[in-house]
Amino acid sequence: MSSESTTTPPPETSEEPILEVRNLEKHYVKSTGWLESLFADEERVRAVDGVNLSIDEGEIFSIVGESGCGKTTLGKTLLRVIESTAGEIRFKGTDLASLSDSEMQKMRQHLQIVYQDPFEALNPKRTVRGLLRQPMEIHGITDETEQRDRIYRALEDVNLLPAGDFLDRYPEELSGGQLQRVLFARALVLDPEFIVADEPSSMLDASVRARVLDLIDELRDDRNISFFIITHDIGAARYLSDRIGVMYLGRIVEMGAAAGIVDDPKHPYSKALIDSIPSPDPREPLESSGIGSEVPEPVDLPSGCRFHPRCPVATEHCREADPEWREVPSADDAVRMTECHEVEPKQTPLE
């Protein structure tokens, strides 16, 4: 079967961002016992609660924040791995929410996800050849010559060389770094345009982690793939990303150029995250982030700014009123957006 008949053509290109999200929400109903459900109102976990963002073609965008802030849920919701509660997701102008299941299945060839744990994501009973062939068979790419070409190209692109030496190996025969590369290769055989990578280097030691981050950058350059990186590693996000979004309790509270976010954070939560990064010098004492209290439960969100119970600069106004999403001054002159009453908005020159 020829590539023309087996490969789903990508959506029409346009000047729009490759991915655009408006007012995206993902809420879960908290499970309760049957007796409690008779007398108590329904409780909702607001995992993603009104997210707006856009990602350009060929851009690497990282989302950072504490565990439980909604990063992974956001990434899965972007691709409809889990369905959104409300909001709009557009990929190259196509409203993903409007697609039927069969239409979305075809679209998934262009939208892939690389999961965090290769030991969980890869079937230990399949060889590398089988692992990479499976997604192509799901998407109707059954021509053996085309499959072989795609498999070899993907393995070469993730630097598993020589590619032929890896085809008949099982996951247990590979190192952690090699398994992570197989995960990327499995996505690449479908020639995607957008990849969500969930903590792509968290389970690797420092030297291998750096090589995986370099791999993502190479794939962006060589294949023009756009990436949405989910990570708690702010240093890696600064090194790799064009832009960073800082997420807290289901919302993005600050967004801007990666270097600017890390070197000159504006939101108090962003500052606390940066301050919590340990120094590489073991002689330096560990610094407190200043927000030692626990993250509030997403079923019982604070009034006003949801960060105010932990914020060192919160005022009464922060406790009462929701902050607006607005542009603020930035030393790097890049667009910086934040949700914070205490950060002065950028002044627009009078015309």
Side-chain angles (χ1 to χ4, degrees):
M1 191 176 292
S2 67
S3 60
E4 288 82 359
S5 62
T6 59
T7 304
T8 305
E12 294 295 326
T13 58
S14 69
E15 295 181 358
E16 297 179 357
I18 191 168
L19 190 83
E20 191 168 17
V21 172
R22 291 288 175 263
N23 301 315
L24 187 64
E25 297 181 359
K26 178 57 185 177
H27 298 172
Y28 296 96
V29 177
K30 185 178 180 181
S31 60
T32 58
W34 69 270
L35 184 60
E36 183 180 350
S37 67
L38 295 176
F39 301 99
D41 293 335
E42 180 179 87
E43 291 187 324
R44 288 184 171 269
V45 176
R46 299 176 180 272
V48 177
D49 198 32
V51 166
N52 296 279
L53 65 88
S54 62
I55 299 173
D56 292 330
E57 184 176 340
E59 181 179 18
I60 298 177
F61 182 97
S62 288
I63 194 81
V64 302
E66 295 169 291
S67 296
C69 69
K71 304 187 301 294
T72 295
T73 302
L74 174 59
K76 290 181 178 180
T77 306
L78 293 181
L79 304 189
R80 280 188 61 185
V81 174
I82 55 179
E83 296 292 346
S84 62
T85 302
E88 185 176 308
I89 308 166
R90 289 190 173 272
F91 175 67
K92 302 185 79 169
T94 299
D95 181 7
L96 297 185
S98 69
L99 300 182
S100 66
D101 289 346
S102 60
E103 290 171 332
M104 190 63 210
Q105 175 69 13
K106 294 177 182 178
M107 184 66 78
R108 292 194 191 285
Q109 186 166 331
H110 311 289
L111 299 157
Q112 287 291 297
I113 186 167
V114 174
Y115 289 103
Q116 175 179 359
D117 186 353
F119 299 98
E120 292 289 334
L122 297 175
N123 186 338
K125 296 183 179 180
R126 287 181 178 266
T127 63
V128 170
R129 188 199 313 269
L131 290 167
L132 270 58
R133 179 180 289 162
Q134 183 183 29
M136 290 188 286
E137 292 175 340
I138 290 173
H139 286 275
I141 303 169
T142 56
D143 180 79
E144 291 186 4
T145 300
E146 183 178 1
Q147 284 187 355
R148 180 188 180 280
D149 290 345
R150 285 176 177 248
I151 288 172
Y152 269 80
R153 183 191 175 197
L155 291 175
E156 290 165 358
D157 281 357
V158 299
N159 295 315
L160 288 177
L161 301 169
D165 287 357
F166 290 89
L167 294 177
D168 295 319
R169 295 191 193 181
Y170 288 89
E172 64 181 13
E173 301 176 81
L174 303 176
S175 68
Q178 290 171 333
L179 288 172
Q180 196 69 44
R181 291 171 185 271
V182 170
L183 280 180
F184 276 97
R186 190 173 64 169
L188 292 178
V189 294
L190 295 175
D191 200 18
E193 298 173 78
F194 185 86
I195 291 178
V196 170
D198 188 0
E199 299 283 6
S201 61
S202 66
M203 301 186 68
L204 307 173
D205 60 45
S207 61
V208 179
R209 182 183 304 126
R211 291 198 292 271
V212 169
L213 297 179
D214 287 338
L215 168 64
I216 293 173
D217 198 32
E218 291 167 7
L219 292 175
R220 183 261 295 273
D221 293 341
D222 296 343
R223 292 203 181 208
N224 197 35
I225 297 173
S226 306
F227 282 90
F228 181 87
I229 309 293
I230 301 163
T231 183
H232 67 277
D233 188 338
I234 298 175
R238 187 195 189 285
Y239 170 78
L240 180 65
S241 311
D242 299 300
R243 288 187 300 144
I244 289 175
V246 181
M247 196 165 187
Y248 183 74
L249 280 181
R251 295 187 65 83
I252 296 179
V253 297
E254 185 166 7
M255 182 161 54
I261 291 286
V262 177
D263 298 342
D264 182 33
K266 300 297 184 182
H267 195 283
Y269 178 62
S270 303
K271 292 179 181 180
L273 288 179
I274 304 304
D275 289 344
S276 69
I277 300 174
S279 168
D281 187 344
R283 295 169 296 182
E284 292 188 14
L286 292 176
E287 297 289 338
S288 171
S289 67
I291 54 168
S293 58
E294 295 293 326
V295 181
E297 287 291 333
V299 296
D300 187 22
L301 295 175
S303 60
C305 172
R306 55 192 64 187
F307 184 59
H308 85 255
R310 308 173 73 197
C311 181
V313 299
T315 66
E316 190 62 32
H317 183 57
C318 300
R319 298 178 180 89
E320 295 175 350
D322 290 333
E324 295 181 355
W325 182 244
R326 60 190 181 185
E327 187 174 358
V328 298
S330 179
D332 57 12
D333 292 327
V335 175
R336 180 76 64 86
M337 305 296 294
T338 189
E339 282 188 350
C340 181
H341 294 299
E342 297 304 300
V343 180
E344 291 295 326
K346 184 175 182 178
Q347 299 299 316
T348 302
L350 295 177
E351 297 183 357

